[in-house]
Amino acid sequence: MTERTGSDGGDGEATAVVSVGDGWEGGGEDGAGDGRRPEDGAAKGVVAAFGQTLKTLRLREGLDRGEFGNRIGYSASTVASFEQGRRIPSPRTIERADEVLQAGGLLCLWKEEVERAQYPVFFQGMATLEKEAIELVSYSMPVINGLLQTEEYMRGLLGMRRPPLEEETIEQRVAARLARQDIFDRRPAPFLSFVLDESILRRPYGGKAALRGQLEHLLLVGQKRNVEIQVMPLDREDNAGVNGPFTVVTRKDGKKFVYAEARGIGALQTDAEQGVLAAALYGIIRSQALSPRESTEFIERLLGSL
């Protein structure tokens, strides 16, 4: 099965919003992580319902927004944004609010739905798969995979969109993209492998300082024992990735899923045969790229030339 969707999953920069479907089951302490805003109709409905529940419980406890905000570490205006469904609280904030309001776990029941609402509908399936992955492999071009992007690099990419994105939309997408990077610190640790086309390591999206920071970040992430980063050099005569970027996610049950983007259209493939073929293709690409050690040395040389 293939669901075609407008793509903004963190790698490409597209706009259309179509539900992935297929029956998927799906913050910051200072509020920076809670600047997320729901972009889609279904997500807005979930967040609005949560906000009404939060308000009802707050009023039941006889707390005004200022007092309640002090207890959970936010301003009264931020509490109002939560209650009105204009901002999405982090899971930790929901847990804290549940405790303060003596909700007995009622608010915590909303955590997964509210967390999923931070992503556009078309990417919610892939975001869920990333959380369930025991293995994720990805070939990247013409931009670095969203899981590897620094915040400055993200802002550089989003800032190039035409027509320009609203600032609040950029903030929402940056926060959601950063939240996905929890995958690197999850236990048990999934195996993560990335092959990056050399061209994207040379493009100064966001400026040279942003590129330098991005290359340094790749070196740091590549030191993790469950992560391998490889570079596909421009001078390679053979590159099985010529048809474009894609990601293969493997779940604990062994099922593989393929996510690909091209010209603003994303496709999440759930067909078992496509998953096996994509995984085999990725193996060929890895064999054609520089080894992880050679790739580290290559990135270090690029850094030295900036």
Side-chain angles (χ1 to χ4, degrees):
M1 174 182 179
T2 301
E3 297 289 348
R4 295 199 173 275
T5 66
S7 159
D8 185 34
D11 309 327
E13 306 300 332
T15 56
V17 177
V18 182
S19 175
V20 168
D22 198 39
W24 293 110
E25 302 289 338
E29 293 291 333
D30 60 359
D34 286 339
R36 301 169 292 176
R37 299 172 186 269
E39 294 188 64
D40 306 300
K44 289 180 179 179
V46 168
V47 177
F50 170 81
Q52 285 297 313
T53 303
L54 180 67
K55 180 178 180 179
T56 299
L57 292 172
R58 174 179 62 78
L59 294 176
R60 185 189 68 177
E61 291 299 305
L63 300 175
D64 62 28
R65 285 172 173 164
E67 185 176 1
F68 175 57
N70 287 335
R71 295 192 185 186
I72 65 171
Y74 291 96
S75 65
S77 62
T78 299
V79 171
S81 294
F82 292 157
E83 292 181 349
Q84 295 165 7
R86 293 184 289 108
R87 295 198 176 193
I88 301 176
S90 68
R92 184 173 298 183
T93 298
I94 293 176
E95 292 172 358
R96 188 180 304 170
D98 192 280
E99 180 180 354
V100 168
L101 297 177
Q102 302 181 61
L106 178 61
L107 288 178
C108 289
L109 292 175
W110 288 86
K111 280 198 301 183
E112 287 189 11
E113 290 290 336
V114 171
E115 182 180 12
R116 189 158 61 238
Q118 71 182 297
Y119 302 106
V121 169
F122 56 75
F123 194 71
Q124 289 176 3
M126 185 58 181
T128 298
L129 283 173
E130 288 179 345
K131 289 179 174 296
E132 300 174 350
I134 62 169
E135 179 186 78
L136 184 149
V137 300
S138 176
Y139 174 61
S140 296
M141 57 142 354
V143 298
I144 292 172
N145 185 291
L147 293 174
L148 294 172
Q149 293 175 11
T150 64
E151 182 173 345
E152 191 173 8
Y153 185 91
M154 294 175 194
R155 293 184 184 281
L157 291 179
L158 293 168
M160 290 188 293
R161 282 287 305 277
R162 296 295 182 272
L165 294 173
E166 297 289 341
E167 282 301 318
E168 65 181 35
T169 299
I170 291 177
E171 293 304 314
Q172 186 274 331
R173 295 185 183 181
V174 167
R177 206 168 294 185
L178 290 173
R180 292 168 53 208
Q181 297 181 0
D182 288 347
I183 193 173
F184 291 105
D185 301 312
R186 201 173 69 211
R187 295 293 179 270
F191 172 68
L192 306 170
S193 174
F194 304 89
V195 175
L196 311 177
D197 193 84
E198 178 187 342
S199 61
I200 59 179
L201 302 179
R202 295 184 177 277
R203 296 184 183 279
Y205 296 135
K208 286 191 175 181
L211 176 58
R212 173 176 288 277
Q214 180 65 68
L215 295 178
E216 291 173 345
H217 181 66
L218 292 176
L219 292 175
L220 289 174
V221 173
Q223 293 176 10
K224 294 180 180 291
R225 291 189 298 170
N226 64 315
V227 178
E228 288 191 350
I229 295 177
Q230 296 175 245
V231 175
M232 178 66 78
L234 289 173
D235 63 4
R236 282 291 192 263
E237 294 184 1
D238 294 311
N239 179 357
V242 291
N243 284 336
F246 65 96
T247 298
V248 182
V249 177
T250 304
R251 283 194 319 206
K252 189 174 183 180
D253 61 7
K255 187 171 183 180
K256 298 181 184 295
F257 302 82
V258 188
Y259 181 76
E261 299 180 359
R263 296 192 65 186
I265 301 296
L268 179 60
Q269 299 178 332
T270 63
D271 180 74
E273 180 180 356
Q274 292 301 315
V276 171
L277 290 174
L281 174 61
Y282 185 76
I284 296 172
I285 293 172
R286 285 189 67 192
S287 71
Q288 295 170 334
L290 297 175
S291 70
R293 183 182 297 276
E294 292 170 333
S295 297
T296 294
E297 295 172 351
F298 186 92
I299 294 172
E300 288 174 341
R301 288 196 297 272
L302 281 181
L303 260 174
S305 67
L306 291 178

